[in-house]
């Protein structure tokens, strides 16, 4: 299935989701048992694709390591105070094999879920972890030259950085800025054996889904891998890891989508290497820590680059948006990330205002109340994005202007969309005080008309004179963390 332009993706933690659905039955449900009404509700939001995070076989060896790690145990107990031994199932990013875990019903159950999604026009995304595998992954014995080897001496001198497996000693997986992860072994991005093995594996995986979210994708670029491993990795090959791999998978599955988890300003590089979408972590950080002016500057990047970003205010790696932003500010951040170019990502529980980030090692989260008002807001917002021209029109950043005794317009960010049958204007106040401004729209044909501006978020409607808008800009007065999502209609012509 080919996903539409600027898709809306909904991430589900598969283990936690199936445990929650199965509580009334007294057992974890499998993917083929998910009620059709649940998929109906996602289709009605609407979203375009479901990312089932963590479907692959988890590693018994990795679980054993995780259970002895005090820091992981502390994190699990902080999220789930009534933690039980059976709640800890191991990390979905410590992959034993790229086969659907039997606890979720195995490959046949995934096929049923995929068909149910496709019947509703929804695509299916899964995970690929390019940087490392579990200590008991078959490749440690069948393809040891695809891994980054160590020696017995390395293991004795640096047990924190090397691991003994059935296939020998290998380096533990890591990135260049942090200590090694304790439960995984490092793949060698420069090894031809790895590149061939991965291509074969992903072509098979590609028959089971419509796209992949690639974990920490930048770690496999020649630049980052060489920086991480230095002489141990050897000389970088002439070709990068991703372009040929993505090309081979797309030759077998032409509509397949590759989405990169990307940090360190590597988004452009990964786009050039073939990724359809890359995380916009920089926007997330600006929304959390910086001002409206920083967000505005971020949105001045090249339009082609913006189109291939996926925006979010929450995912399984980040703290819950409700806990990070608070309910009012979260709405402003959500309007921002939902109405830009590119794609948008929502995380299961985000819409309900859940506040506890569940560690990926767990199959259960705490019971939390649903914020009904926030849920209703998100439903209006997601529906507004789908019903407007935002996913097919031309996007433009809009200037905001103040006057000598009022520069509160600096708190605002504004942009507009225009399609043949619609035009939309979004203005967001990214501060905790009211703001006023004149917003300049780039449309040459606003004169000699009266415009009806309908706010898709709250249903209010405003009439504005086109000549005044053209000469002076559209006057707005927005409360703290407030937003307008204005659909423009000619009051006479419709």
């Amino acid at each position: 299935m080919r996903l539409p332009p600027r898709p809306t993706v909904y991430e589900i933690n598969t283990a936690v989701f199936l445990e929650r659905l199965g509580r009334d039955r007294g057992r974890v449900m499998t993917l083929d048992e998910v009620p059709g009404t649940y998929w109906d509700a996602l289709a009605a939001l609407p979203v375009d694709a479901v990312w089932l995070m963590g479907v692959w076989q988890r590693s018994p060896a990795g679980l054993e390591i995780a259970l002895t790690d005090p820091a992981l145990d502390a994190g699990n107990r902080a999220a789930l105070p009534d933690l039980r031994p059976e709640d800890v199932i191991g990390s979905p990013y410590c992959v034993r094999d790229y086969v659907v875990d039997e606890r979720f019903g195995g490959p046949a159950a995934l096929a049923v879920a995929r068909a149910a999604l496709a019947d509703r026009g929804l695509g299916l995304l899964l995970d690929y972890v390019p940087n490392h595998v579990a200590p008991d992954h078959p490749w440690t014995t069948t393809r040891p030259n695809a891994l980054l080897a160590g020696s017995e001496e390395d293991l004795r001198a640096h047990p924190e950085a090397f691991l003994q497996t059935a296939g020998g000693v290998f380096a533990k997986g890591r990135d260049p800025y942090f200590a090694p992860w304790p439960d995984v072994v490092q793949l060698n991005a420069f090894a031809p054996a790895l590149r061939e093995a991965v291509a074969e594996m992903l072509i098979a995986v590609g028959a089971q889904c419509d796209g992949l979210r690639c974990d920490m994708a930048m770690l496999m670029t020649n630049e980052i891998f060489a920086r991480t491993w230095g002489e141990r990795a050897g000389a970088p090959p002439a070709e990068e890891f991703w372009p040929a791999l993505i090309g081979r998978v797309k030759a077998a599955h032409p509509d397949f989508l590759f989405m990169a988890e990307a940090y360190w300003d590597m988004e452009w590089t990964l786009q050039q290497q073939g990724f359809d979408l890359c995380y916009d972590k920089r926007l997330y950080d600006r929304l959390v820590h910086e001002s409206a002016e920083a967000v505005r500057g971020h949105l001045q990047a090249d339009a082609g680059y913006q189109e291939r970003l996926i925006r979010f205010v929450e995912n399984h790696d980040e703290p819950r948006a409700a806990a990070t932003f608070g309910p009012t500010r979260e709405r402003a951040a959500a309007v921002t990330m939902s109405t830009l170019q590119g794609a948008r990502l929502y995380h299961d529980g985000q819409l309900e205002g859940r506040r506890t980030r569940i560690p990926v090692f767990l199959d259960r989260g705490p019971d939390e109340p649903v914020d009904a008002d926030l849920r209703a807001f998100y439903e209006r917002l997601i529906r507004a994005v789908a019903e407007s021209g935002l996913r097919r029109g031309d996007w433009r950043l809009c200037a905001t202007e103040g006057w000598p005794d009022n520069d509160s317009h600096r708190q605002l960010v504004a942009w507009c969309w225009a399609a043949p049958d619609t035009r939309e204007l979004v203005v967001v106040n990214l501060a905790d005080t009211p703001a006023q401004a004149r917003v300049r729209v780039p449309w040459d044909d606003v004169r000699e008309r009266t415009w009806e501006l309908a706010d898709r978020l709250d249903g209010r409607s405003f009439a504005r004179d086109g000549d005044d808008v053209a000469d002076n800009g559209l006057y707005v007065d927005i409360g703290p963390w407030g937003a307008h999502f204005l659909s423009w209609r000619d009051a006479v012509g419709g």
Side-chain angles (χ1 to χ4, degrees):
M1 174 185 294
R2 179 187 292 274
L3 298 187
R6 303 165 183 162
T8 297
V9 179
Y10 191 87
E11 179 191 0
I12 292 174
N13 181 323
T14 304
V16 173
F17 167 64
L18 293 177
E19 188 279 334
R20 186 170 69 241
L21 288 181
R23 284 183 190 176
D24 290 342
R25 300 189 182 192
R27 63 172 178 83
V28 173
M29 291 179 67
T30 51
L31 285 166
D32 54 335
E33 297 175 312
V34 176
T37 53
Y38 185 82
W39 302 135
D40 289 340
L42 287 181
L45 262 177
V47 303
D48 301 303
V50 172
W51 165 20
L52 288 177
M53 190 277 288
V55 303
W56 306 122
Q57 286 183 4
R58 302 183 188 215
S59 163
L63 175 59
E64 185 176 346
I65 293 170
L67 289 172
T68 64
D69 188 302
L72 292 178
D73 182 66
N76 292 340
R77 293 184 184 279
L80 196 59
D82 62 337
L83 183 72
R84 307 170 307 211
E86 61 268 27
D87 295 326
V88 184
I89 62 171
S91 170
Y93 296 98
C94 179
V95 177
R96 167 65 175 77
D97 205 355
Y98 284 90
V99 177
V100 180
D101 202 303
E102 286 301 321
R103 75 167 53 238
F104 307 136
L110 179 70
V112 170
R114 185 189 184 191
L117 291 170
D119 286 345
R120 293 159 175 83
L122 305 181
L124 172 64
L125 305 184
L126 301 177
D127 295 290
Y128 165 49
V129 187
N131 187 63
H132 49 260
V133 292
D136 50 355
H137 190 284
W139 288 353
T140 61
T141 55
T142 62
R143 297 179 185 264
N145 54 348
L147 283 75
L148 205 62
S151 66
E152 296 292 340
E153 182 180 350
D154 290 326
L155 182 62
R156 287 192 297 271
H158 299 287
E160 79 287 353
F162 292 86
L163 193 64
Q164 179 72 58
T165 77
V169 174
F170 298 104
K172 292 180 180 179
R174 58 166 299 190
D175 76 24
Y177 298 109
F178 295 97
W181 295 295
D183 58 344
V184 292
V185 292
Q186 180 68 49
L187 295 167
N188 185 355
F190 292 171
L194 175 69
R195 298 181 177 205
E196 183 61 31
V198 167
E200 294 173 3
M201 183 269 292
L202 289 191
I203 288 171
V205 166
Q208 302 173 64
C209 59
D210 303 296
L212 288 172
R213 177 265 192 189
C214 299
D215 185 70
M216 300 284 280
M218 69 285 175
L219 294 181
M220 305 302 276
T221 63
N222 285 356
E223 173 194 350
I224 301 297
F225 199 80
R227 185 195 310 167
T228 306
W229 294 104
E231 294 182 0
R232 184 174 293 276
E239 295 185 354
E240 292 279 354
F241 178 84
W242 289 112
L245 173 62
I246 291 173
R248 286 185 63 176
V249 175
K250 289 197 172 194
H253 308 290
D255 295 332
F256 206 74
L257 182 137
F258 277 88
M259 177 170 71
E261 180 189 23
Y263 304 113
W264 316 328
D265 297 319
M266 293 291 290
E267 298 88 351
W268 173 254
T269 297
L270 291 169
Q271 289 178 4
Q272 299 307 111
Q273 292 185 13
F275 278 92
D276 301 289
L277 296 171
C278 293
Y279 272 31
D280 192 358
K281 178 64 160 58
R282 184 64 67 185
L283 176 66
Y284 171 82
D285 289 339
R286 294 191 192 284
L287 289 170
V288 173
H289 301 293
E290 300 183 42
S291 67
E293 291 182 282
V295 172
R296 189 181 305 109
H298 182 79
L299 298 178
Q300 292 173 2
D302 176 78
Y305 167 76
Q306 302 267 4
E307 283 286 354
R308 294 168 69 182
L309 296 174
I310 184 163
R311 329 283 186 158
F312 55 87
V313 293
E314 178 182 311
N315 58 56
H316 71 271
D317 287 314
E318 305 295 346
R320 288 289 196 177
T324 299
F325 294 97
T328 305
R329 186 181 176 196
E330 179 180 350
R331 286 166 167 78
V335 171
T336 302
M337 54 84 45
S338 299
T339 59
L340 299 173
Q341 295 164 286
R344 59 209 56 82
L345 171 68
Y346 304 97
H347 183 211
D348 195 35
Q350 175 184 341
L351 279 57
E352 293 76 22
R354 293 197 173 99
R355 301 178 64 86
T356 301
R357 176 184 169 273
I358 303 171
V360 295
F361 293 86
L362 302 182
D363 76 342
R364 182 168 68 94
D367 292 326
E368 297 184 75
V370 172
D371 184 333
D373 288 342
L374 185 65
R375 172 76 193 196
F377 161 78
Y378 269 112
E379 288 179 351
R380 290 194 302 272
L381 174 61
I382 295 171
R383 189 171 299 113
V385 169
E387 293 176 352
S388 70
L390 266 63
R391 299 203 298 170
R392 51 190 171 83
D394 293 326
W395 183 93
R396 297 277 297 274
L397 192 63
C398 296
T400 63
E401 299 173 355
W403 37 93
D405 61 345
N406 186 347
D407 67 351
S408 62
H409 74 97
R410 298 182 186 278
Q411 300 171 194
L412 303 177
V413 286
W415 46 86
C416 61
W417 295 82
D421 58 344
T422 185
R423 59 185 83 193
E424 315 281 341
L425 174 69
V426 176
V427 189
V428 185
N429 184 357
L430 294 177
D432 59 1
T433 56
Q436 300 79 39
R438 292 279 185 175
V439 180
R440 295 289 183 178
V441 294
W443 303 318
D444 297 330
D445 59 349
V446 296
R447 291 186 181 277
E448 300 180 0
R449 305 192 209 183
T450 297
W451 292 94
E452 180 185 355
L453 280 55
D455 196 321
R456 294 182 181 271
L457 297 178
D458 61 17
R460 291 183 297 166
S461 186
F462 313 89
R464 293 293 183 265
D465 177 72
D467 289 343
D468 181 57
V469 171
D471 292 336
N472 302 306
L474 176 71
Y475 175 78
V476 296
D477 185 352
I478 304 180
W481 308 115
H484 285 312
F485 187 160
L486 300 172
S487 178
W488 292 54
R489 294 290 184 272
D490 188 324
V492 176

